[in-house]
Amino acid sequence: MACPKNRVYYLDQPPLVDDLKHICSRLASKETYPLASDIQKNIPIYDVSKYAGRDTDTSLVESLQDEWSHILSEGPGVIVLKRMYAINGLEQTVDAANKIFGQILDDETRAKQNSDEGNKIDRNLKAHNVFTKLAKRAPQVFVDYYSNPWLDRVSQAWLGPGYRFNASLNIVPPGGPAQPAHRDFHMGFFGPDKCVKFPRLLQVANQTLTLQGAVAHSDMPMPSGPTRFLPFSQLFEAGYMAHRREEFQQYFQANYVSLPLEKGDGLFFNPSILHAAGNNTTTDFYRSAQLIQVNSIFGKPSEWVSSVPIVDKTWTLLREKYHKEGPSTSMMCLVQAIGDGYQFPVSLDNIQGDLFAMKTEQDLIQEGLEAGWDRDKIIRELKSSQKRRLSPFLDEL
């Protein structure tokens, strides 16, 4: 028996849209996802507000995570967590974050208008790395926002522990156009001439390194253009080769589904699912979302985020919270969100002792909270850790 080919397709053997049609003919059912509150247009919906106070119920959480993992890998590829920020006193957190985001947008828009970038301003209102910017401007809002246990639970369902966040703000004004259908990070940036060089297994495994998500920071009625999805399309192995081809774009346009969202809802999806932001057909409504990319510790994020300025601004609040709660669920969600949970990459020449006993940033933050370190000490420890890991590489530049 001949060895099977390692590639998905070759450039002279384009993917067939009929193969995608067959895959996307499947239906999601409550029988497969019994904990879902509803399934609409093939998208499972989970009202997590009904689980308020049960985010530490191991049996419940593991059952939910089993369903979410299946949805993302073998099922429709997209999940809605209804009222994700309408629990545990988080109702006002999105509004508070919106005020800070408005300040960030005003400052950055003025800076662009006064620079050579002024003529390149996107019609959408965007701000990058609002993860760090929120922590710097409003530490308490940051602490409240990222202590949400369901943000951690859905991230771990797909990526396990040690994941890293980066986040951006995207506001689509009235008349904002729709996007073409696409796949996301990592290989979504590559054209077919580059994708074809990667073996089949890696093209499929690519999706396991990232979870794409969004929290609705405004209501998103259908006329405002909430994100469009083609459920099950992440299962099409040749998808990164195919998604820019005209016949696949046409199939997406004829078959996509979309759901309205309410402010505070969460939306999470496999990065390989075909999706696109919809067009805002309103005349007076701004659609607003914080886009959250969650990255596996084994992958490269699209934006590097340093823990140092975030800890510097939030350490007093973190210590106060730890003093009141100890290692509670929300406390450990914050530690997970802020610090790097992986010790690599490093310069091995610069490491002494047991490499596998080397502390991660999460280890240092947790140790500092338990021992009551002051701000200066935790910052010294984190900077020292980063210096041991990064300075040999930076010295070579």
Side-chain angles (χ1 to χ4, degrees), residues 165-181:
F165 289 127
N166 57 62
S168 60
L169 177 69
N170 191 45
I171 300 177
V172 180
Q179 291 178 313

Side-chain angles (χ1 to χ4, degrees), residues 196-270:
V196 75
K197 298 177 182 178
F198 288 88
R200 179 193 65 80
L201 184 61
L202 198 57
Q203 293 202 31
V204 174
N206 165 85
Q207 64 188 252
T208 65
L209 297 175
T210 310
L211 178 66
Q212 296 293 113
V215 176
H217 274 239
S218 70
D219 288 344
M220 295 186 180
M222 291 303 294
S224 72
T227 305
R228 303 165 174 178
F229 293 96
L230 189 61
F232 296 99
S233 59
Q234 82 280 3
L235 299 173
F236 185 43
E237 290 187 351
Y240 283 106
M241 291 285 295
H243 68 93
R244 290 182 175 86
R245 295 178 63 87
E246 182 61 28
E247 63 270 30
F248 287 88
Q249 290 288 325
Q250 291 176 357
Y251 180 74
F252 178 87
Q253 289 300 321
N255 293 278
Y256 72 79
V257 298
S258 184
L259 294 178
L261 298 176
E262 298 174 297
K263 184 167 62 175
D265 289 350
L267 176 75
F268 297 89
F269 55 96
N270 183 314

Side-chain angles (χ1 to χ4, degrees), residues 16-282:
L16 300 177
V17 74
D18 284 345
D19 294 337
L20 179 63
K21 291 178 182 179
H22 176 72
I23 289 170
C24 294
S25 66
R26 308 179 188 191
L27 296 174
S29 71
K30 282 278 288 178
E31 187 175 285
T32 307
Y33 309 117
L35 293 176
S37 306
D38 196 6
I39 297 176
Q40 296 181 16
K41 301 178 182 178
N42 251 354
I43 298 178
I45 301 169
Y46 291 79
D47 185 351
V48 293
S49 67
K50 73 179 186 180
Y51 300 127
R54 297 185 63 194
D55 52 75
T56 58
D57 181 335
T58 301
S59 177
L60 170 67
V61 169
E62 288 182 352
S63 295
L64 286 167
Q65 288 179 322
D66 286 344
E67 292 191 14
W68 296 344
S69 178
H70 187 276
I71 290 166
L72 294 168
S73 59
E74 301 174 55
V78 56
I79 313 163
V80 172
L81 300 189
K82 290 294 293 182
R83 287 176 271 281
M84 184 177 171
Y85 275 86
I87 55 173
N88 298 340
L90 294 172
E91 295 87 346
Q92 307 304 317
T93 304
V94 172
D95 289 333
N98 281 342
K99 291 180 180 178
I100 304 304
F101 292 157
Q103 297 170 10
I104 293 169
L105 283 172
D106 288 344
D107 292 346
E108 294 187 357
T109 299
R110 280 194 298 269
K112 288 179 180 179
Q113 288 172 339
N114 295 327
S115 72
D116 292 337
E117 295 295 310
N119 61 348
K120 301 178 183 178
I121 296 175
D122 195 297
R123 186 158 186 246
N124 288 1
L125 303 173
K126 295 181 179 179
H128 297 294
N129 195 12
V130 293
F131 185 78
T132 301
K133 292 169 184 174
L134 181 62
K136 286 182 174 181
R137 292 190 182 225
Q140 184 65 64
V141 178
F142 175 92
V143 167
D144 292 342
Y145 200 104
Y146 287 98
S147 63
N148 189 327
W150 296 112
L151 189 55
D152 169 76
R153 300 308 188 238
V154 70
S155 298
Q156 291 219 36
W158 187 235
L159 302 171
Y163 58 79
R164 299 306 310 276
F165 289 127
N166 57 62
S168 60
L169 177 69
N170 191 45
I171 300 177
V172 180
Q179 291 178 313
H182 60 280
R183 284 181 157 199
D184 273 346
F185 198 68
H186 295 255
M187 292 182 68
F189 289 109
F190 298 162
D193 56 334
K194 191 164 186 178
C195 282
V196 75
K197 298 177 182 178
F198 288 88
R200 179 193 65 80
L201 184 61
L202 198 57
Q203 293 202 31
V204 174
N206 165 85
Q207 64 188 252
T208 65
L209 297 175
T210 310
L211 178 66
Q212 296 293 113
V215 176
H217 274 239
S218 70
D219 288 344
M220 295 186 180
M222 291 303 294
S224 72
T227 305
R228 303 165 174 178
F229 293 96
L230 189 61
F232 296 99
S233 59
Q234 82 280 3
L235 299 173
F236 185 43
E237 290 187 351
Y240 283 106
M241 291 285 295
H243 68 93
R244 290 182 175 86
R245 295 178 63 87
E246 182 61 28
E247 63 270 30
F248 287 88
Q249 290 288 325
Q250 291 176 357
Y251 180 74
F252 178 87
Q253 289 300 321
N255 293 278
Y256 72 79
V257 298
S258 184
L259 294 178
L261 298 176
E262 298 174 297
K263 184 167 62 175
D265 289 350
L267 176 75
F268 297 89
F269 55 96
N270 183 314
S272 293
I273 193 173
L274 274 172
H275 66 283
N279 58 316
N280 186 345
T281 61
T282 70

